[in-house]
Amino acid sequence: MEYTEGAPVSDTKAPEGPIAERWEKRKFAAKLVNPANKRKLNVIVVGTGLAGGSAAATLGELGYNVKSFCYQDSPRRAHSIAAQGGINAAKNYRGDGDSIYRLFYDTVKGGDFRARESNVYRLAEVSVNIIDQAVAQGVPFAREYGGLLDTRSFGGAQVSRTFYARGQTGQQLLLGAYQALERQIKAGTVEMFTRHEMLELIVADDRARGIIVRDMVTGEIERHTADAVVLATGGYGNVFYLSTNAKGCNTTAIWRAHEQGAYFANPCYTQIHPTCIPVSGEYQSKLTLMSESLRNDGRVWVPVAAGDTRAAGDIPDDERDYYLERIYPAFGNLVPRDIASRAAKNVCDEGRGVGPGGLGVYLDFRDAIDRLGRDAVEKKYGNLFEMYERITGEDPYTQPMRIYPAVHYTMGGLWVDYDLQTTVPGLFVIGEANFSDHGANRLGASALMQGLADGYFVLPTTLGDYLANGPFGEVDEEAVAEAEIRVREKIDRLLAVNGSRTPDSFHRELGKIMWDYCGMERTEESLRKALELIPELRAEFWRDVKVSGTAEELNQVLEKAGRVADFFDLAELMCLDALVRTESCGGHFRAESQDADGEALRDDENFAHVSAWERTPDGPVLHKETLEYEYVKMSQRSYK
């Protein structure tokens, strides 16, 4: 796949000066919209997870007219509900040395020095407000004996800054945002559209002015216009087919925006989560995540000897390799996700993996139960243990869990500036759908933090600065009609193929290509192979996909087919981005770029930049945003 290099791209919205003052400076400089004018302005928010739900609720509270869209039957079913372990905040309730600056430092380092300093510092700064907001909403965070909010440790940090609600943190935070959203629906400031899928972005006069959606129950194609559009549609990990994402998670909304001019940044940055239940058979359509919080008390190990098939309880301690504690003594089992995932892959590649096919390692709670007692462990992790037992039929209180890395979060996404605005004016992107805060690897418990920071605190300020110049008048009818025609033409094309293979069969084959050739480890040879196979499979898809039913009804096969078609195009760009970046950093591990110990070896001289891809009729164009570090010195990451 050929590409050309275009002009550099830069973030012109981040203020200069001391980093601790930049967000305050931006908030003060932002234009304000008076209450009477807010009632004249319309905003579309696509997605109702933590980012989208909190954004729609807050914008409604501020007085804007908001339309909120989701493809689920309720905002409560957004994938944010699946987040388990916790949410980071620099409250320092433990008095263990935490601070806003330390959270900022840990996040920049955890992202392998591929994130913007200004964005990350703002995230750390706003984190303390999120906890107060959630507590005020009644989110039932865990508490210590004295009644104070409890915290626990998470990977990539040596302090306890992760607030949690057992293993249901995402669910409880989403319910808080959902209640705030429902309040605004009742008040009439937010109009809710469930079971609607965004299929196109309307761009008129070089501004984002609306979306084309399909009512997933009736099949009706609808037009919705506004003064600004906000995408909060999550990540694209399902390009791998098997991932920890809900089956409905897809890339269609952000890919449509990319096709209409929004740059796509760092698509190759995929996070492999180390704590997932291993694949059990070809029949599986998704994987189940076990919270990273389990690594607080669980110890990760494999047998010392390759090919040891004894039951875990029959292997004595001196024949166990607690390899994370051995290789990384300073952080032990709390190393970041990319480090833990590669370490698990390495020991399994040595023939020391456990379970079917040798693709698993043990996560053992024996010592924690002996030290704390079963009741204490059950209080902290009981629902997670129950979930594991229901899925595997094994009791983690009496035998170790088996875990293996799997695709989880995507750090790439649409390019946005400090205001969270894309290269298309009026199009804002928040949460996992943008690229801005995590660099090449997300630290655990930071996804919920970013989603709520963007939705509750950042977007309402920066969007107001844009809307202060509105309303922007009637939307050009020709632009709306053209967007609708593009949607109808693609639907008609999918229905007309009438082949012999299901969309799922193509999706599974694409996912295998991506995992085998662009998964935990990439090489030039494997990526070139993927870039050869993906266009061939895509061509077969458009020749032989079978979409049953019609467009004028509830048709889940049609929905899947459209999403898989977009995954083909995204997969190609992901592999191209990974091929061009001939360094290892975070979740992007090029086998050709590693040090003597097998750790990721960055190339700061040539790759200390964001790769922002533009889609053009002549092929992809690469724009680079240079990353500059004033406060955190770039160095080789070490957790030893």
Side-chain angles (χ1 to χ4, degrees):
M1 187 178 184
E2 299 297 325
Y3 76 97
T4 57
E5 193 162 323
V9 64
S10 61
D11 174 17
T12 60
K13 300 291 179 61
E16 297 181 349
I19 197 166
E21 299 174 8
R22 290 178 187 175
W23 178 227
E24 285 299 322
K25 287 176 68 174
R26 182 69 191 108
K27 286 193 290 184
F28 183 74
K31 298 172 187 174
L32 301 177
V33 184
N34 78 51
N37 287 340
K38 286 175 183 173
R39 292 192 290 272
K40 304 173 186 176
L41 293 162
N42 303 299
V43 181
I44 286 171
V45 180
V46 185
T48 58
L50 287 179
S54 60
T58 306
L59 294 171
E61 185 75 40
L62 288 171
Y64 296 106
N65 301 308
V66 181
K67 288 184 176 181
S68 175
F69 293 83
C70 70
Y71 59 70
Q72 298 92 347
D73 60 352
S74 166
R76 290 176 297 132
R77 294 192 186 276
H79 186 54
S80 298
I81 206 164
Q84 300 166 344
I87 177 171
N88 287 331
K91 286 285 197 180
N92 195 31
Y93 284 170
R94 289 284 186 95
D96 55 1
D98 201 11
S99 65
I100 289 172
Y101 195 91
R102 187 175 293 279
L103 176 52
F104 156 68
Y105 174 86
D106 287 345
T107 305
V108 171
K109 177 184 175 184
D112 217 352
F113 304 94
R114 291 294 179 262
R116 290 183 187 145
E117 282 191 331
S118 294
N119 286 68
V120 177
Y121 192 91
R122 176 176 66 188
L123 179 64
E125 184 180 349
V126 170
S127 71
V128 297
N129 305 120
I130 297 171
I131 303 303
D132 297 338
Q133 173 91 1
V135 170
Q137 291 174 335
V139 173
F141 285 123
R143 293 182 180 268
E144 296 177 321
Y145 177 76
L148 299 176
L149 296 184
D150 196 13
T151 55
R152 56 189 177 198
S153 300
F154 247 70
Q158 292 175 305
V159 295
S160 293
R161 64 163 67 101
T162 304
F163 295 79
Y164 65 98
R166 295 188 76 189
Q168 306 172 352
T169 314
Q171 177 178 345
Q172 299 302 329
L173 288 168
L174 184 62
L175 289 173
Y178 169 70
Q179 290 174 102
L181 178 61
E182 286 295 309
R183 179 175 182 272
Q184 295 308 310
I185 293 172
K186 175 71 173 177
T189 62
V190 176
E191 186 178 3
M192 188 72 232
F193 295 84
T194 59
R195 303 293 290 170
H196 282 68
E197 181 171 24
M198 173 185 161
L199 294 180
E200 189 56 278
L201 176 72
I202 299 170
V203 178
D205 300 322
D206 297 323
R207 296 180 188 269
R209 293 303 310 273
I211 59 175
I212 305 294
V213 298
R214 179 175 180 271
D215 183 322
M216 296 164 66
V217 176
T218 67
E220 183 180 354
I221 304 298
E222 301 175 5
R223 307 170 170 191
H224 295 271
T225 59
D227 295 292
V229 176
V230 180
L231 300 186
T233 51
Y236 49 87
N238 273 349
V239 68
F240 290 87
Y241 188 73
L242 285 178
S243 83
T244 67
N245 289 263
K247 286 299 293 178
C249 294
N250 63 83
T251 191
T252 292
I254 58 175
W255 193 255
R256 291 287 179 276
H258 179 51
E259 290 178 328
Q260 295 306 310
Y263 291 1
F264 206 118
N266 299 333
C268 76
Y269 288 166
T270 305
Q271 181 168 81
I272 311 295
H273 197 294
T275 318
C276 298
I277 298 178
V279 177
S280 57
E282 285 293 319
Y283 58 85
Q284 271 188 271
S285 61
K286 78 174 302 294
L287 297 174
T288 302
L289 173 70
M290 299 306 298
S291 170
E292 184 179 7
S293 64
L294 295 169
R295 290 197 280 145
N296 274 294
D297 291 304
R299 300 179 69 192
V300 179
W301 65 275
V302 292
V304 170
D308 191 336
T309 59
R310 289 177 291 175
D314 296 335
I315 302 176
D317 268 12
D318 61 355
E319 296 181 42
R320 299 181 176 191
D321 181 12
Y322 294 91
Y323 58 90
L324 292 178
E325 299 170 37
R326 171 175 57 81
I327 302 171
Y328 308 102
F331 280 72
N333 295 298
L334 292 177
V335 293
R337 292 174 176 178
D338 59 324
I339 304 287
S341 293
R342 283 198 299 275
K345 179 183 185 297
N346 290 340
V347 295
C348 290
D349 288 348
E350 293 168 4
R352 298 194 287 141
V354 301
L359 292 179
V361 299
Y362 286 130
L363 181 60
D364 196 340
F365 286 84
R366 181 198 63 183
D367 293 350
I369 292 171
D370 289 345
R371 184 180 75 254
L372 303 171
R374 174 170 171 151
D375 288 348
V377 172
E378 188 171 354
K379 184 177 180 182
K380 293 168 75 171
Y381 309 115
N383 63 312
L384 297 171
F385 278 40
E386 180 183 355
M387 182 173 70
Y388 181 87
E389 184 173 11
R390 286 186 177 185
I391 292 171
T392 66
E394 300 170 2
D395 179 7
Y397 291 105
T398 59
Q399 61 188 104
M401 291 182 179
R402 287 179 296 107
I403 58 171
Y404 191 71
V407 172
H408 181 52
Y409 188 92
T410 48
M411 285 74 67
L414 292 185
W415 185 92
V416 293
D417 60 19
Y418 190 69
D419 282 1
L420 306 179
Q421 186 172 204
T422 69
T423 47
V424 177
L427 177 65
F428 292 75
V429 183
I430 58 178
E432 190 180 354
N434 76 32
F435 87 102
S436 63
D437 291 356
H438 306 298
N441 175 60
R442 178 177 68 82
L443 289 185
S446 290
L448 307 186
M449 176 173 63
Q450 186 208 347
L452 292 177
D454 287 355
Y456 280 137
F457 299 105
V458 179
L459 180 76
T461 294
T462 60
L463 181 63
D465 181 72
Y466 173 80
L467 291 173
N469 295 317
F472 298 106
E474 293 295 319
V475 183
D476 178 53
E477 174 60 27
E478 186 176 344
V480 178
E482 288 176 355
E484 183 176 333
I485 288 170
R486 290 194 297 272
V487 168
R488 293 187 181 277
E489 285 179 345
K490 186 161 189 177
I491 290 173
D492 291 343
R493 185 184 176 196
L494 287 166
L495 290 167
V497 176
N498 197 29
S500 62
R501 290 185 58 181
T502 66
D504 273 341
S505 73
F506 281 104
H507 192 182
R508 184 185 292 274
E509 189 171 343
L510 173 65
K512 181 168 174 49
I513 291 171
M514 291 299 290
W515 180 251
D516 288 347
Y517 301 119
C518 190
M520 262 195 285
E521 182 174 296
R522 297 102 183 255
T523 65
E524 180 177 354
E525 181 183 5
S526 74
L527 292 166
R528 291 194 182 280
K529 182 66 174 176
L531 287 169
E532 176 186 317
L533 294 173
I534 292 168
E536 293 174 357
L537 186 62
R538 176 173 52 205
E540 184 181 348
F541 172 87
W542 285 109
R543 285 195 309 268
D544 198 29
V545 70
K546 174 69 174 179
V547 180
S548 55
T550 70
E552 292 76 30
E553 62 182 341
L554 191 154
N555 190 338
Q556 292 183 305
V557 180
L558 177 61
E559 295 162 21
K560 290 178 182 178
R563 296 166 187 173
V564 174
D566 294 326
F567 276 138
F568 277 117
D569 294 340
L570 170 66
E572 196 169 29
L573 184 62
M574 289 174 69
C575 292
L576 177 62
D577 188 43
L579 180 64
V580 171
R581 188 172 285 273
T582 56
E583 65 161 354
S584 292
C585 56
H588 168 64
F589 189 77
R590 286 288 295 265
E592 305 95 333
S593 185
Q594 55 185 300
D595 63 20
D597 295 325
E599 302 290 353
L601 186 62
R602 293 196 324 272
D603 179 356
D604 294 334
E605 183 176 347
N606 294 302
F607 292 100
H609 64 252
V610 175
S611 296
W613 294 90
E614 178 185 8
R615 187 175 175 89
T616 75
D618 298 323
V621 178
L622 173 60
H623 302 270
K624 297 177 182 177
E625 177 195 342
T626 301
L627 293 169
E628 297 179 356
Y629 291 90
E630 301 176 58
Y631 293 87
V632 181
K633 181 182 177 182
M634 285 195 289
S635 60
Q636 193 63 23
R637 271 198 309 170
S638 175
Y639 292 92
K640 297 180 178 180

